[in-house]
Amino acid sequence: MRWKSTALVLIFAAALAGCNDTLESATYDSPKVSNKIQQPLPARLVAEIQKKGMSRNAPIMLRIFKEEGVLEVWKAKTNNRFDKVVEYDICAWSGRLGPKVKEGDRQAPEGFYPLTPYHLNPNSKYFLAINTGFPNRFDQANGRNGSNLMIHGACSSSGCYSMTDAQILEIYAFARDAFKGGQQSIQLQAFPFRMTAENMARHRHSQHYDFWKTLKVGYDNFEVTKRPPDVNVCEKKYVFNQLTADGKGFNAQAACPPMSTPPALEMALASYNKEYDRNYAKALNKFDGKIWYDPSEAERKALVADLRKSRSHDLAFAPTGSALAAGKLLDIDDANPTAVASATSAPAAINQLTAKPPAAGATTTAVATVAGTVQTAAPVAIAPSAPTAAPAGIASASAAPIAPVTPAAPSAAPAQTTATAQAGQSVVPVPQPNPQMAETTVAEAPVKKKPFWKLW
């Protein structure tokens, strides 16, 4: 009876722990499994899937938020709407907030990436890996280039999203099971942060703000429908959930064809954006005269220096801390007077601030997160700043091409389709070159031989 009681206590403790894996609770040693490629999901995740009324092989979606350092796994319910099953703290990601532009810039991708079975790499040098598919059609159309950008194990990154081996074992199993269930393409959504009104207002001075506004249209579509949006590219811009006349296709480099949005989705997005506008106006007042300092990779690593020292025997172990925790909300006039004075605009000022950390003694405001929002300390008396542009969140894909600044009508969300898998499918294909690369060839400048951590 004693062992039964002990077992019940352990099961109860595991249930209380939930399905979220943090860096503090993570296991960093490689799991001892006989077959990592076919390792089933652990009992706690199977129970969570069953509790939410999902099939084990139902389609999934992956969502990443850089600033928080979080990777979420969402799974389809029987009504084809998705619900979050688990989230993981990303052990390491390199660079700063903002998209990857070129090979060697150490930036991790941001955008919407379709993952197929051939993006799975069971033979990775970093335990297991999933190729992000960078560059996608949008990246190629905009001249962005890079290779071997992964979600992998080993907790070491140079442009990748690196997890612990135990985490990637589970993420890989989610993808494998979804492909076995017939899902043809898993959508990876990689965002700089949760694209709430408050976060958009906090980052409004960033040089990447116009690009982030286009990502927010896709973010909004998912928040409204809880279905991965149908993603296309035309005029070098993302468009989401758009239906074309006469079945015309999309060309990433060409003009957008005539497009339309189903009325039901248009109404839902209009209601969503109405609430967003109210919240954005409040956030502008809250952050008036403020500018967000996006920390460097070195500053994020400093937050987890003790963790790194605890595994000094593992030379490849290189965790990075949260950009939200390492960042600072500064008075725009006092943050770095020399840099701000020489800058011709707020984005130019933030560029100078990110190029050189603020001087010692600069006025700062501590930032904490509560339920995904940013909380600032007591207000500081500051001079009012000039009003900013209209909120980004109200822009949606429409019949007119997406413009980074001009608000447009919302977009349509057709249901996600899946294919039926062959019975007994169990073989994981060997990874092939990114299928998206066949569409457009991007000329790349010669690069030096990659260090070992850039390889699969």
Side-chain angles (χ1 to χ4, degrees), residues 38-43 45-46 49-50 53-60 75-76 173-181:
Q38 297 300 332
Q39 177 70 14
L41 285 171
L45 291 178
V46 173
I49 290 169
Q50 293 173 345
M54 302 165 174
S55 164
R56 182 168 181 170
N57 292 340
I60 68 166
K75 201 168 183 67
F174 271 114
R176 178 203 62 219
D177 290 351
F179 287 135
K180 283 183 179 180

Side-chain angles (χ1 to χ4, degrees), residues 396-413:
S396 300
S398 71
I402 288 183
V405 177
T406 306
S411 42

Side-chain angles (χ1 to χ4, degrees), residues 133-136 140 144-146 433-442 444:
F134 179 93
N136 63 14
Q140 294 172 47
R144 297 176 179 177
N145 61 81
N434 179 5
Q436 297 289 338
M437 291 298 290
E439 268 191 51
T440 307
T441 302
V442 180
E444 295 189 26

Side-chain angles (χ1 to χ4, degrees), residues 175-435:
R176 178 203 62 219
D177 290 351
F179 287 135
K180 283 183 179 180
Q183 186 172 10
Q184 293 181 309
S185 177
I186 295 170
Q187 187 171 104
L188 167 64
Q189 302 178 0
F191 296 107
F193 44 79
R194 296 184 192 274
M195 310 200 92
T196 62
E198 188 152 320
N199 283 343
M200 292 297 289
R202 180 167 55 91
H203 286 282
R204 69 194 183 280
H205 296 306
S206 171
Q207 60 179 314
H208 307 299
Y209 190 68
D210 284 344
F211 169 64
W212 291 341
K213 286 194 292 184
T214 66
L215 297 186
K216 190 182 186 307
V217 180
Y219 176 92
D220 292 349
N221 272 256
F222 178 72
E223 288 297 303
V224 168
T225 66
K226 287 298 182 283
R227 293 175 179 171
D230 186 26
V231 182
N232 285 289
V233 181
C234 55
E235 295 186 0
K236 302 183 180 182
K237 302 183 180 91
Y238 283 116
V239 291
F240 301 93
N241 288 334
Q242 289 298 289
L243 303 176
T244 60
D246 303 323
K248 290 184 178 179
F250 292 88
N251 185 315
Q253 301 277 1
C256 293
M259 301 180 292
S260 63
T261 303
L265 178 59
E266 188 170 3
M267 291 178 61
L269 284 169
S271 176
Y272 178 90
N273 286 329
K274 186 175 181 180
E275 178 66 19
Y276 174 88
D277 289 347
R278 286 195 292 266
N279 293 333
Y280 188 85
K282 294 177 182 177
L284 284 182
N285 290 331
K286 179 176 182 177
F287 298 122
D288 185 31
K290 302 289 185 179
I291 192 167
W292 178 257
Y293 172 71
D294 181 30
S296 67
E297 183 179 345
E299 289 169 315
R300 291 191 293 112
K301 285 183 176 180
L303 295 180
V304 289
D306 290 341
L307 177 60
R308 188 169 185 174
K309 288 178 182 177
S310 70
R311 292 186 60 84
S312 57
H313 61 282
D314 186 352
L315 298 180
F317 184 69
T320 58
S322 163
L324 192 58
K328 297 179 178 68
L329 193 62
L330 309 172
D331 288 345
I332 194 169
D333 294 327
D334 299 334
N336 190 333
T338 303
V340 175
S342 62
T344 57
S345 65
I350 196 69
N351 289 345
Q352 298 230 27
L353 287 171
T354 55
K356 182 179 180 180
T363 304
T364 63
T365 305
V367 177
T369 56
V370 178
T373 62
V374 179
Q375 305 282 329
T376 62
V380 180
I382 54 173
S385 61
T388 58
I394 61 174
S396 300
S398 71
I402 288 183
V405 177
T406 306
S411 42
Q416 175 174 319
T417 60
T418 60
T420 303
Q422 296 179 353
Q425 177 184 357
S426 61
V427 178
V428 178
V430 175
Q432 302 293 323
N434 179 5

